[in-house]
Amino acid sequence: MPQSIKKNAEERMEKAILALKRDLSTLRAGRATPSLLDRIQVEYYGAPTPINQLANITTPDSRTLMIQPWDKSSLADIERAIMKSDLGLTPQNDGAMIRLSIPALTEERRIELVKFTKKFGEEAKVAIRNIRRDANDDIKKLEKSDISEDESRRHQDDIQKSTDKFVAEVDKVLAAKEKEIMEV
């Protein structure tokens, strides 16, 4: 039973790392990538819809994104959603598709993005610590009936080791993204 608790906690911690990587991929580091638009929701027939479900997104070069909607009537909605987003990009609508030019990042914007990545990192660390707390609570419940106090302590130590490993992984992911952002 304690083994399944530890295994479940590690799986959830791994998912927190994957969520962090997905969130960091939506930050622009000076080059165009379709994942920049993953967080954008378009109001389409009254329902918020991810932009990648409404259009084909391509990167003709390293500084340009082209968005070609499957339904031409959604073009204005997509443009409006991009304008409202926190990307800081101005869409260029030519009636059939939208072009997004990704400008080179200034030093000031790079520093701002690094702070933003650290916020994502802190959220991931909090999620991992919450998972640790939940697992420890489950172990303590078992201590009252099924396992000894020493066994409980040993399992909690194992959970702490997993937590430390995943927090170090968060730091490694953040360092790689920071390096990518600060690269000129």
Side-chain angles (χ1 to χ4, degrees):
M1 188 72 155
Q3 295 300 332
S4 65
I5 292 171
K6 289 191 290 189
K7 186 174 186 271
N8 181 33
E10 286 190 359
E11 287 172 0
R12 290 175 57 203
M13 289 178 188
E14 185 65 41
K15 287 179 184 175
I17 297 289
L18 292 175
L20 172 66
K21 289 178 180 177
R22 185 184 63 244
D23 287 343
L24 289 178
S25 74
T26 64
L27 292 177
R28 68 182 173 110
R31 60 183 171 269
T33 175
S35 64
L36 287 174
L37 305 174
D38 283 352
R39 290 186 292 153
I40 295 180
Q41 298 282 317
V42 178
E43 193 67 30
Y44 187 65
Y45 290 110
T49 308
I51 197 169
N52 60 2
Q53 292 181 10
L54 298 174
N56 187 26
I57 303 169
T58 57
T59 54
D61 60 55
S62 66
R63 297 260 184 227
T64 307
L65 281 174
M66 286 178 45
I67 305 163
Q68 188 169 16
W70 294 304
D71 177 10
K72 300 292 184 218
S73 66
S74 67
L75 197 64
D77 295 329
I78 293 172
E79 186 176 15
R80 197 172 312 114
I82 293 170
M83 292 291 282
K84 282 198 258 181
S85 73
D86 61 353
L87 289 176
L89 299 174
T90 305
Q92 300 164 347
N93 182 348
D94 69 3
M97 66 178 61
I98 295 175
R99 288 187 191 330
L100 289 175
S101 295
I102 311 290
L105 292 175
T106 64
E107 186 69 22
E108 190 175 288
R109 180 71 176 138
R110 289 175 192 278
I111 292 169
E112 187 179 312
L113 282 173
V114 167
K115 288 179 186 175
F116 205 60
T117 61
K118 290 182 180 180
K119 184 185 95 164
F120 280 135
E122 274 309 309
E123 289 171 359
K125 288 178 183 179
V126 167
I128 289 169
R129 290 180 188 124
N130 286 340
I131 294 166
R132 175 192 60 195
R133 183 195 61 224
D134 293 344
N136 282 341
D137 288 347
D138 291 343
I139 295 287
K140 287 176 186 173
K141 287 178 190 169
L142 286 177
E143 182 183 330
K144 294 179 181 168
S145 60
D146 295 344
I147 61 175
S148 69
E149 194 175 317
D150 288 342
E151 261 186 294
S152 170
R153 189 73 212 146
R154 192 168 357 105
H155 291 299
Q156 289 178 36
D157 288 344
D158 290 345
I159 291 169
Q160 181 60 47
K161 287 176 187 170
S162 293
T163 302
D164 293 342
K165 180 180 86 174
F166 283 103
V167 166
E169 178 72 19
V170 166
D171 290 336
K172 192 168 88 174
V173 168
L174 287 176
K177 185 66 175 184
E178 182 177 339
K179 182 179 179 220
E180 177 185 340
I181 289 171
M182 295 308 284
E183 218 171 67
V184 176

